[in-house]
Amino acid sequence: MKQHLQNPTKNPPPTTTSGSTGVVTDMRVIVPLQGVVQGGGGGLILGSIIPCALFYFFQLYLKSKNRSGDDSAAPPPPQLPEIEPPGGGLQRVQSVRSIWSPRGSNSQVSSRASFVIKQVDNPYYVGLEKSCLDCYDEVCNPGGIIQLGFDENKLSLDVVQDWLMAHTKCSIVCQDLQMNGITAYHPFDGLSELKMAVAGFMSQVMEGRVLFDPSQMNLTSGVSPAIEMLVFCLADLGNAFLVPSPYSPDLDRDIKWRTGVEIIPVPCRSSDNFSLSTASLNRAYNQAKKRGLKVQGVIVSNPSNPVGNLLTRETLYNLLDFATEKNIHVIANETLVGPIDDKNQEFVSMAEIINSEEYDRKRVHIVYGLSKDISLPGFKVGVVYSFNQTVLQASKKLMRFSSVSSLSQRLLVSMFNDSRFVREFIKINRERVERMSDLFVGGLKELGIKCMKSSRGSYCWADMSGFIRPYSEKGELELWEKLLNVAKINATPGSCCHCIEPGWFRFCFASLTEKQVPLVMERIREVL
Amino acid sequence: MAIEIVQPSTVGLSKIAVSDTHGEDSPYFAGWKAYDENPYHEINNPTGVIQMGLAENQVSFDLLEEYLEANLESTNWGQKVSGFRENALFQDYHGLLSFRKAMASFMEEVRGGKAKFNPDRVVLTAGATAANELLTFILADPGDALLVPTPYYPGFDRDLRWRTGVQIVPIHCDSSNNFQITPEALEAAYDHATSMNIKVRGVLITNPSNPLGATIQRKVLEEILDFATRKNIHLVSDEIYSGSAFYADEFVSIAEVLESRNYKDSERCHIVYSLSKDLGLPGFRVGTVYSYNDQVVTTARRMSSFTLISSQTQFLLASMLSDKEFTRKYIKINRERLKKRYEMIINGLKKAGIECLKGNAGLFCWMNLSPFLEEPTIKSELAIWKTIMHEVRLNISPGSSCHCSEPGWFRVCFANMSEETLEVALTRIHEFIKQRKQ
C-alpha cells in the first residue's frame, strides 16, 4: 500500500493552550468586537451585542462539544459515534477520524488516543481500575473490592505451580541457553515445537474429534492481539463486523480501538435464550448497509461471552451459510470447553464443522486463548488458526508486534509434552470449574437471582432485572454502582456488554476460592 | 448438493493484509534469506554466508548466563504460594510493579544516574517494535506524518506505517557533517510535509543512531527539542542502544536534557527502550514506552493489552534488573567489549582501505564504500551489495534500505558473532577489495 498523500484535512492551525495534561484544543473562544461594544451609540451597541453574544455562545457550545477528555467535567456516556458514509479522499479522512472522535478534535494526541481516553467513564474500566486500587485480600485488605469483572481462572493454579517448581530450572537452564537458545531472536509467530505441542493439546481437549494442524497456526501474546490482528487483515478502516450482543466489553477494544473498524451489534434476547438467528444477522447486515458500512465479517464467541451459551451445530451451519451468501468472513473466538457429560450440550468447534462440510475454508478463522483453557493467564498465549494462506502470512508478519517471550514458550513446550500432566490438569481443572460454578450459581439462586444455564465457563450471566429501579439502563447502572461502592463487588453490567435488555450482570467467579463465595453472597444481599 | 457453482475469487481481505508496506521485500530482508539458505559455521560450513545484517548483541552473553544459572532458584516463582498467585495472575496491563521499578532502575543505571525514571511512567510492551508502533498509534492519525532523520532503521517503514496508516517524512542528513541532524534539515522536512498538506505530529529520533552507530550530541538534542516545541509536536527518542555506547559520558539521553530544563514542555517527549540490544535478550520480548505525558501513559497502558509481556518473564527479570551490583558490572563490561569489537572492525576495514563513519555506540559500524562504486547511484550500490552477498558471502545492509541520501554506505554488524568469525569476515573483505583494485 503506497502511502499516498491524504487530502488536506482542513484543521485550523493549532494554538497552544495546553493545560497541565498537555492536551491542546484549538477552538479559540473569540469574544468578537469587544472594542465596538464598548464604544458607540445605543442602536449600534445592541446591533453589535446581540450577534456577538450569539456568536460567543455558539462558539462555547461548539467548544464544549469538542472536549477531548481534558478536563474534569464528566463527558456524556460513551456512544457509538456516527459514521458518515465513506466518500472521496477528504471526506474519507474526516469519516475515519470520526470513528474515534465524533468531531475530529485537534488535540495533541491522536483521535485514536482521544477515544481511548474517553473510556475513563465506561463502567467496565471504572470497575477494573477501582478494584485494582482497592483490591480485596483476606489478610491485608478484607474490606477491599472483590474482583468479579475479570475473566481469569485461578482455580487450578496450584497444579500448574507444582509442575513449574519441579520443572523450571531444567526447562530453561538445561536447554541450550546459548546462541540459538531462548535469548536469541526466534520466529515471531511461535516456535514450531510449541505450535506442535499446542496443536496436540487442543486435539487432546477435543478428545480427538478435531485434529489441529500446526502449520495453520500462528501464536501470539494473547487473545486480544489475535483478534485485533485478524481484524486488521480482514477489514479496512471504516469497515464493520457484525457481533452478536451481548458481547464481552473487551471486543470493543480489540475490534475498534486501533483498527478504526466498527462493530454492528446483532442483538440477541433472553426470550430466545440469547441464541443467534439468521434473521437477526440479516437485519443487522441491512442496517449496516443503510449506514453505508461495508460488513467484512461476523465475530462470534463460543461459548458466548458473557452469556455462556454454546453455539449449536445448527447455529454454526446457519452462520456459515449466511457468511457464504454475503461473501464475508467468520471469526470464531473459542475457549476449549471440550466434551461435556451433559447430553443436551456439546461443544462443537468451528474447526470440526469446517473439516466436514463443503464451505470455503478461507473465510473461517479461529482464535483460541490458552490463558483460560489451561489456566495460565500469566503466560499470555493466543492462537490464530486459519486456512487462508494470505491471512496466515500477513498475520505471521504482524506477530512481531505481539510475540510470546521465548521463556514462556520453552516452559509451555515442556509442559505440553508432559501428556500425563496435561491429562491430569484438564480433569482437575474441569472438576473445579464445575464445582465453583455450581456453588456460585447456587448462591445467587438463594438470593433470588437466576442465571442463564451455564456451559461450565468461568463466569455466569445473571438476571438482576427484578432488583433494578427503574427498569432501564439507568437503573442497572445504579445497581452496578451500589455493588461496586457499597457491596464492594466489581461485576460487569449488561450495558457494557451492549445487552439490549437492562438488568443483566456478568460475574466471573473462577478467581475466587470456595471460602469467599458466602462472603460474596452476603455482600450482594446487602444491596438488593 | 445442488449444481456446483464456481465461487468468485475468495472473500476480500484488507489493504493491510495484501500490501507490501511490511517492507519485507526490501534488500535489507532479502539478505537475510541468503544467509538462511547458506549460514556460516566455523566447522560445518566455513564458506557459508556470514550474517552481518542482524543487530544482535552476543558479546556479553556469558555474564547473563552466569547470573541466570546462579540465581534461577531464587527467581523461581514457586517461592511462596501467594507470591506466585499474585505474580502469575498479573495479566493486567499495569505489569508487575517490581518489574516496572526494575526497568526504571536499569534505565537510570544505563544513564549513569544522570536522569531519574518514575516506575509509574513505565509502560511495558512486547519489544521496542511494539513500543514504536504503539506510540505512533497514540500520537498520529492515519495520513499524518512523523519526521525521521535519514538514514534510519529499515524496520521503521513497517513498524511506524503498516497498521497505523501514518507516513514517514525523512529529515535528510548527509556525510558533509557526519550525518548530524541540523535545524535547517528539520525545517526543510517540516515544510516539505506541510507543502503536501500532510500534518506532522512528531519527530522520531534514534539515539544512539541506527545505522550510524553514533550518539547524538547534546547541542543537537537541544535543537531538536526546541524545534519540536516551536512546532508544537511530539518528540520520540528511541534509546534502545543507550547501553551500547562505548563511553558512558558520550551518551546524552533526552531525559537528561529535560531534567536540566526542569521538565518544562516535557509532556511532548517519550522514550522507547528495550532489553533486546543492551542485554542481548531479544527473545524475551521486553520493551517499554516511557512518557512524560500523562494521557499518553494512560492510553499506552490500556493499549498495551495488545502486546503484554508474560508475567514469568517479568518475574524472572525483575530481580536481575534490580540487582545493582550485577547491572553496574554488566553495563561496564558490555561497553568495553563492544568498544573493543568496534576497534577491531574499524582497523580491519582500514587496512583494506575502507573508511567508516566515526562511531561511538551500537552493535554496528557505518561503512563507506562509495569510492568503490561504478557510479554514485543506488543501482551501483545494490550491485556491489549483491556481489558482496554472493561472492564475498557477507550479508550487510545497503544504505538505500535505510533511506540514506548518499549511495555507497553500508551498515555492518559486529556483535552477533565470535571474534574468530569477525576475523574471517575481515579477511574476506580484504581479499575482495584487493581483487577489485586489480
Side-chain angles (χ1 to χ4, degrees):
Chain A
M1 169 175 81
K2 280 218 159 40
Q3 290 296 331
H4 58 274
L5 306 174
Q6 295 289 359
N7 288 319
T9 55
K10 303 250 188 303
N11 281 316
T15 49
T16 14
T17 51
S18 60
S20 59
T21 53
V23 171
V24 174
T25 52
D26 75 341
M27 287 290 300
R28 283 169 291 184
V29 178
I30 301 164
V31 182
L33 305 179
Q34 218 164 359
V36 174
V37 167
Q38 278 164 2
L44 184 59
I45 290 174
L46 277 178
S48 307
I49 287 177
I50 293 171
C52 288
L54 285 175
F55 185 46
Y56 179 96
F57 286 118
F58 182 64
Q59 290 218 2
L60 268 181
Y61 168 77
L62 282 181
K63 184 176 185 205
S64 72
K65 286 236 144 193
N66 263 351
R67 279 191 207 289
S68 51
D70 60 339
D71 44 33
S72 53
Q79 303 278 344
L80 276 181
E82 279 298 283
I83 311 250
E84 292 137 276
L90 168 62
Q91 226 184 339
R92 176 141 183 79
V93 173
Q94 293 281 37
S95 69
V96 152
R97 287 171 198 271
S98 70
I99 290 168
W100 292 295
S101 166
R103 297 292 185 272
S105 72
N106 195 20
S107 58
Q108 211 172 15
V109 290
S110 67
S111 312
R112 276 182 273 237
S114 301
F115 181 78
V116 172
I117 289 164
K118 282 194 199 135
Q119 300 301 306
V120 72
D121 272 352
N122 183 325
Y124 181 59
Y125 290 106
V126 170
L128 287 181
E129 299 271 332
K130 251 195 161 166
S131 34
C132 214
L133 293 169
D134 182 15
C135 191
Y136 170 84
D137 183 284
E138 202 176 331
V139 174
C140 310
N141 189 18
I145 302 177
I146 299 183
Q147 175 67 283
L148 301 181
F150 225 0
D151 180 16
E152 69 188 359
N153 185 348
K154 297 186 189 182
L155 297 172
S156 314
L157 263 192
D158 55 316
V159 180
V160 173
Q161 177 197 339
D162 290 341
W163 188 93
L164 281 175
M165 271 186 71
H167 294 83
T168 300
K169 182 148 186 182
C170 197
S171 303
I172 302 176
V173 178
C174 300
Q175 293 273 341
D176 187 11
L177 258 187
Q178 258 285 1
M179 310 263 187
N180 303 315
I182 63 172
T183 56
Y185 280 108
H186 55 275
F188 289 120
D189 55 315
L191 299 170
S192 43
E193 304 103 296
L194 183 57
K195 288 188 190 179
M196 289 193 302
V198 168
F201 168 69
M202 283 158 59
S203 303
Q204 200 174 352
V205 173
M206 292 297 298
E207 290 184 2
R209 289 184 320 175
V210 188
L211 286 178
F212 293 92
D213 179 356
S215 65
Q216 310 292 143
M217 213 182 254
N218 282 332
L219 301 178
T220 185
S221 61
V223 167
S224 290
I227 292 179
E228 192 200 39
M229 191 174 305
L230 279 173
V231 173
F232 267 120
C233 288
L234 305 179
D236 288 323
L237 240 151
N239 291 160
F241 270 89
L242 303 181
V243 183
S245 68
Y247 59 81
S248 163
D250 287 339
L251 283 181
D252 279 325
R253 172 193 64 200
D254 301 341
I255 297 173
K256 302 199 310 185
W257 275 13
R258 305 195 304 182
T259 61
V261 169
E262 193 46 75
I263 292 180
I264 307 290
V266 184
C268 303
R269 298 168 191 283
S270 57
S271 46
D272 309 310
N273 280 327
F274 293 101
S275 60
L276 179 63
S277 70
T278 308
S280 47
L281 281 168
N282 270 309
R283 256 195 309 269
Y285 186 89
N286 293 332
Q287 256 175 37
K289 225 166 144 192
K290 278 203 200 98
R291 287 168 61 182
L293 289 172
K294 181 155 183 275
V295 173
Q296 282 296 102
V298 186
I299 302 184
V300 295
S301 298
N302 186 17
S304 64
N305 185 347
V307 179
N309 271 345
L310 287 177
L311 297 184
T312 62
R313 216 173 264 275
E314 195 189 335
T315 309
L316 291 173
Y317 285 137
N318 291 338
L319 179 57
L320 284 171
D321 286 334
F322 172 79
T324 308
E325 185 202 317
K326 306 292 184 199
N327 195 23
I328 58 178
H329 294 271
V330 175
I331 299 179
N333 178 11
E334 299 188 348
T335 305
L336 290 175
V337 176
I340 305 170
D341 288 336
D342 186 347
K343 288 193 175 51
N344 294 329
Q345 287 187 330
E346 61 165 347
F347 173 70
V348 182
S349 167
M350 190 62 95
E352 199 186 321
I353 304 272
I354 264 301
N355 272 341
S356 59
E357 293 296 326
E358 284 171 24
Y359 290 107
D360 180 6
R361 304 208 295 185
K362 294 199 215 63
R363 69 173 81 254
V364 175
H365 320 276
I366 312 177
V367 171
Y368 299 98
L370 291 188
S371 311
K372 297 183 200 170
D373 301 331
I374 196 163
S375 175
L376 292 173
F379 281 83
K380 297 308 289 180
V381 180
V383 181
V384 171
Y385 194 72
S386 175
F387 294 92
N388 187 319
Q389 279 309 313
T390 314
V391 171
L392 269 181
Q393 287 308 313
S395 62
K396 189 172 170 169
K397 297 187 178 93
L398 286 173
M399 300 273 164
R400 68 183 325 103
F401 297 110
S402 52
S403 185
V404 185
S405 141
S406 49
L407 174 62
S408 306
Q409 293 197 52
R410 289 279 175 204
L411 284 171
L412 286 172
V413 169
S414 307
M415 195 182 292
F416 284 132
N417 285 335
D418 187 347
S419 45
R420 191 199 57 85
F421 166 76
V422 171
R423 248 190 332 268
E424 267 302 299
F425 177 85
I426 293 174
K427 181 162 161 289
I428 295 177
N429 189 43
R430 267 208 202 123
E431 282 167 5
R432 292 184 184 181
V433 173
E434 250 179 65
R435 200 161 62 226
M436 181 59 81
S437 174
D438 289 341
L439 204 61
F440 196 89
V441 172
L444 287 179
K445 195 165 177 202
E446 278 175 26
L447 295 175
I449 302 171
K450 277 171 80 172
C451 294
M452 280 294 297
K453 187 164 195 296
S454 107
S455 64
R456 307 292 189 259
S458 47
Y459 46 82
C460 64
W461 186 234
D463 183 2
M464 299 181 78
S465 53
F467 299 97
I468 63 173
R469 247 159 235 93
Y471 178 70
S472 67
E473 184 179 318
K474 184 164 178 286
E476 177 189 288
L477 288 176
E478 276 172 14
L479 177 57
W480 164 76
E481 223 179 336
K482 271 201 290 197
L483 281 170
L484 182 65
N485 296 320
V486 179
K488 302 289 203 99
I489 299 273
N490 179 36
T492 309
S495 48
C496 292
C497 306
H498 306 270
C499 184
I500 53 175
E501 299 173 17
W504 290 87
F505 282 79
R506 181 187 74 176
F507 292 94
C508 300
F509 48 70
S511 54
L512 293 173
T513 61
E514 289 188 21
K515 229 173 52 168
Q516 289 165 348
V517 176
L519 172 63
V520 169
M521 296 305 153
E522 217 17 73
R523 287 192 184 186
I524 295 179
R525 185 196 298 273
E526 271 176 48
V527 298
L528 290 181
Chain B
M1 275 201 88
I3 308 159
E4 186 106 32
I5 299 170
V6 176
Q7 293 288 352
S9 70
T10 36
V11 55
L13 298 177
S14 70
K15 295 197 192 85
I16 287 176
V18 303
S19 83
D20 55 5
T21 313
H22 50 74
E24 292 192 10
D25 302 324
S26 90
Y28 180 74
F29 299 101
W32 292 23
K33 290 192 197 114
Y35 166 76
D36 285 335
E37 283 156 16
N38 183 17
Y40 171 84
H41 188 275
E42 224 169 346
I43 300 164
N44 301 340
N45 190 16
T47 57
V49 175
I50 298 180
Q51 173 65 288
M52 302 187 91
L54 178 59
E56 199 174 64
N57 183 0
Q58 287 166 5
V59 305
S60 310
F61 186 77
D62 55 315
L63 299 172
L64 268 182
E65 206 172 20
E66 197 186 290
Y67 180 90
L68 286 174
E69 287 204 20
N71 293 285
L72 206 59
E73 296 294 359
S74 69
T75 58
N76 196 335
W77 32 77
Q79 260 198 324
K80 326 177 274 187
V81 175
S82 60
F84 175 71
R85 271 180 92 90
E86 331 157 344
N87 288 323
L89 302 175
F90 233 111
Q91 59 172 315
D92 191 37
Y93 48 59
H94 284 96
L96 277 185
L97 178 57
S98 58
F99 184 61
R100 278 190 284 122
K101 282 186 176 159
M103 277 299 279
S105 153
F106 187 68
M107 285 168 75
E108 285 175 1
E109 275 302 319
V110 166
R111 289 156 186 75
K114 287 183 279 177
K116 288 259 158 297
F117 288 93
N118 177 355
D120 288 333
R121 295 196 171 279
V122 171
V123 177
L124 302 172
T125 62
T129 304
N132 279 317
E133 194 201 34
L134 186 58
L135 270 175
T136 308
F137 271 123
I138 294 173
L139 304 178
D141 284 318
D144 291 345
L146 290 178
L147 304 183
V148 183
T150 67
Y152 61 77
Y153 161 58
F156 279 160
D157 285 327
R158 168 199 58 212
D159 300 345
L160 306 179
R161 302 186 319 160
W162 193 14
R163 295 197 290 188
T164 60
V166 170
Q167 310 186 60
I168 294 178
V169 172
I171 302 167
H172 291 293
C173 303
D174 57 64
S175 57
S176 61
N177 68 342
N178 289 325
F179 295 96
Q180 286 185 83
I181 303 162
T182 63
E184 294 75 34
L186 285 165
E187 292 283 349
Y190 188 90
D191 291 340
H192 181 59
T194 319
S195 71
M196 295 195 296
N197 280 311
I198 300 174
K199 189 148 178 273
V200 175
R201 298 309 287 260
V203 181
L204 191 146
I205 58 176
T206 308
N207 179 24
S209 160
N210 176 5
L212 299 178
T215 56
I216 299 183
Q217 293 174 14
R218 190 185 188 106
K219 174 166 155 298
V220 177
L221 283 177
E222 306 250 12
E223 282 165 0
I224 299 173
L225 183 56
D226 290 336
F227 169 79
T229 310
R230 260 199 325 275
K231 302 293 185 193
N232 190 26
I233 57 180
H234 292 273
L235 173 56
V236 177
S237 180
D238 182 347
E239 302 188 349
I240 194 179
Y241 293 102
S242 42
S244 309
F246 309 149
Y247 302 96
D249 52 4
E250 285 187 0
F251 168 67
V252 178
S253 164
I254 194 73
E256 293 171 48
V257 176
L258 291 173
E259 203 159 294
S260 70
R261 294 184 178 196
N262 256 322
Y263 298 106
K264 179 166 177 292
D265 272 325
S266 59
E267 68 271 356
R268 67 183 71 257
C269 296
H270 325 277
I271 299 179
V272 167
Y273 188 60
S274 150
L275 300 182
S276 301
K277 309 295 182 185
D278 292 343
L279 270 189
L281 291 175
F284 280 33
R285 312 311 303 142
V286 178
T288 169
V289 168
Y290 186 91
S291 175
Y292 295 91
N293 182 319
D294 292 340
Q295 288 201 319
V296 173
V297 171
T298 310
T299 313
R301 193 153 278 149
R302 296 212 183 120
M303 285 188 176
S304 68
S305 301
F306 295 113
T307 180
L308 293 172
I309 303 179
S310 77
S311 37
Q312 292 72 35
T313 309
Q314 293 188 46
F315 199 22
L316 179 70
L317 295 177
S319 41
M320 184 171 92
L321 293 181
S322 318
D323 185 339
K324 282 214 178 355
E325 199 188 302
F326 167 74
T327 55
R328 228 158 261 174
K329 177 175 117 182
Y330 179 93
I331 292 168
K332 182 164 169 293
I333 296 180
N334 186 47
R335 289 196 206 278
E336 282 164 8
R337 290 183 182 179
L338 286 174
K339 173 164 158 280
K340 190 159 160 250
R341 277 295 174 98
Y342 174 77
E343 280 163 0
M344 185 178 156
I345 197 176
I346 293 295
N347 291 333
L349 289 174
K350 210 170 192 164
K351 285 205 189 92
I354 300 175
E355 291 292 327
C356 295
L357 182 75
K358 185 157 183 351
N360 62 349
L363 312 176
F364 33 72
C365 63
W366 190 233
M367 177 173 80
N368 186 6
L369 288 185
S370 56
F372 303 94
L373 294 187
E374 301 261 341
E375 309 159 330
T377 60
I378 292 184
K379 192 158 168 257
S380 286
E381 176 188 287
L382 290 177
I384 208 177
W385 167 72
K386 279 203 182 95
T387 310
I388 293 177
M389 185 155 73
H390 295 299
E391 292 174 23
V392 189
R393 279 158 290 115
L394 297 179
N395 176 35
I396 58 179
S397 312
S400 47
S401 24
C402 304
H403 302 274
C404 185
S405 46
E406 295 174 15
W409 291 86
F410 289 82
R411 187 190 78 170
V412 186
C413 299
F414 53 69
N416 59 318
M417 62 190 74
S418 65
E419 276 188 18
E420 292 76 27
T421 309
L422 185 54
E423 285 291 359
V424 172
L426 287 170
T427 312
R428 289 188 190 180
I429 295 179
H430 214 269
E431 280 305 310
F432 170 67
I433 297 290
K434 217 166 72 175
Q435 277 175 17
R436 239 180 132 85
K437 283 193 177 143
Q438 284 158 7

